[in-house]
Amino acid sequence: MTNEAIRVEKVVVDYPLENSLGIARKLLRRGEVPSKRALDGVDLTIRDGERVGIVGPNGAGKSTLLRVLAGILPPTEGALRVTGTVAPLFEFATGFEMELSGYENVRIRSLLQGMDWEQINQRMPEIVAFSELEGALDQPVRTYSSGMFIRLAFSTATSIDPDILLIDEAFGAGDQHFSIKSAKRMRELMDKGRVLVFTSHNLDLVRSLCNRIIWINKGRIVEDGPADSVIPHYLSNET
């Protein structure tokens, strides 16, 4: 049987609500923390070789699930097991310190991605060349434009050869020139990765990239199966 790459067991994620409203204040005075449930008891297994698309309306829990799989967001309840290296193509700012230089941030982010010092030193020239920021990498990241920051973050995040690639459609990769480069890099990563998990509202793109579709709504899995089955059911219920 194909090896499990991801195992999610009864995962719950609760987000605390803003505390400025009167009802929230009353709850807090009683020792309760008002929250919103983003994922509600999700069970999920993804195996090697699968290309999984996650679909659902805004607020369904798609991005929250990706962040849990990436290890960025710990579950409130439940268990998660991920086997292999993970490249999340979102939350680019995670692990970056604005007062440190570009070079220092590359090293920190690379360590967080699971590289050792030897691997970082080997990959550094490639990261620098891809970012096209060699003249600025000695400067603090706080001095960068938003486009420069995206270049550095994307170049670092995609410098590993991942076993599991997590992509949220809602990320940007700089100007047109760099967007073309980043799109090519993403395709290369998809070809190398054992597993792809992709969230998007573009159902044609999801169908073209994925051989399995998970439809979620209100934090729960509604349907899980082949694209030709799940997508028509999703469209008939969401339109």
Side-chain angles (χ1 to χ4, degrees):
M1 183 177 291
T2 307
N3 293 332
E4 288 186 4
I6 297 170
R7 176 69 173 169
V8 178
E9 297 179 333
K10 302 186 185 309
V11 162
V12 172
V13 173
D14 290 331
Y15 286 120
L17 296 175
E18 294 294 329
N19 297 330
S20 58
L21 299 178
I23 186 171
R25 287 173 178 161
K26 291 178 182 178
L27 289 170
L28 288 170
R29 281 198 294 269
R30 295 205 302 262
E32 301 173 22
V33 179
S35 62
K36 176 183 178 182
R37 181 145 294 183
L39 294 179
D40 190 5
V42 172
D43 283 301
L44 174 63
T45 299
I46 298 175
R47 301 185 183 278
D48 284 352
E50 289 194 299
R51 300 291 186 264
V52 180
I54 303 176
V55 301
N58 288 329
K62 303 186 299 297
S63 294
T64 297
L65 179 56
L66 270 195
R67 282 153 180 75
V68 170
L69 299 182
I72 294 170
L73 181 65
T76 307
E77 299 176 16
L80 170 70
R81 183 172 67 251
V82 177
T83 304
T85 57
V86 179
L89 297 193
F90 52 87
E91 297 284 6
F92 285 144
T94 301
F96 279 79
E97 296 291 339
M98 296 298 106
E99 296 300 323
L100 299 181
S101 71
Y103 281 117
E104 290 169 323
N105 272 293
V106 169
R107 293 186 180 98
I108 292 171
R109 177 61 183 260
S110 297
L111 286 170
L112 292 175
Q113 292 180 172
M115 292 189 195
D116 58 33
W117 287 111
E118 182 179 355
Q119 290 173 319
I120 294 170
N121 291 332
Q122 289 175 348
R123 297 289 178 95
M124 184 65 78
E126 177 190 344
I127 295 170
V128 172
F130 193 88
S131 71
E132 302 176 0
L133 294 173
E134 185 172 5
L137 291 177
D138 286 318
Q139 304 301 315
V141 170
R142 62 175 168 76
T143 66
Y144 290 10
S145 68
S146 58
M148 291 169 67
F149 182 81
I150 289 173
R151 282 171 178 258
L152 180 63
F154 183 89
S155 301
T156 307
T158 59
S159 64
I160 64 174
D161 295 326
D163 297 311
I164 301 167
L165 184 62
L166 308 176
I167 302 179
D168 192 330
E169 183 185 44
F171 79 87
D175 57 28
Q176 184 176 6
H177 163 70
F178 196 75
S179 292
I180 294 171
K181 286 181 61 175
S182 66
K184 182 180 178 181
R185 170 68 68 89
M186 284 176 55
R187 287 287 180 178
E188 292 171 351
L189 287 173
M190 288 180 195
D191 291 339
K192 292 179 181 178
R194 288 165 34 209
V195 171
L196 168 68
V197 184
F198 177 57
T199 68
S200 177
H201 289 288
N202 185 333
L203 299 183
D204 290 334
L205 183 59
V206 171
R207 193 192 298 265
S208 71
L209 293 176
C210 303
N211 55 22
R212 173 184 172 189
I213 306 298
I214 297 172
W215 166 20
I216 68 174
N217 193 19
K218 297 180 180 178
R220 297 181 178 180
I221 294 177
V222 179
E223 189 171 352
D224 180 352
D228 290 342
S229 173
V230 177
I231 288 179
H233 293 166
Y234 171 63
L235 287 172
S236 65
N237 280 271
E238 298 295 326
T239 58

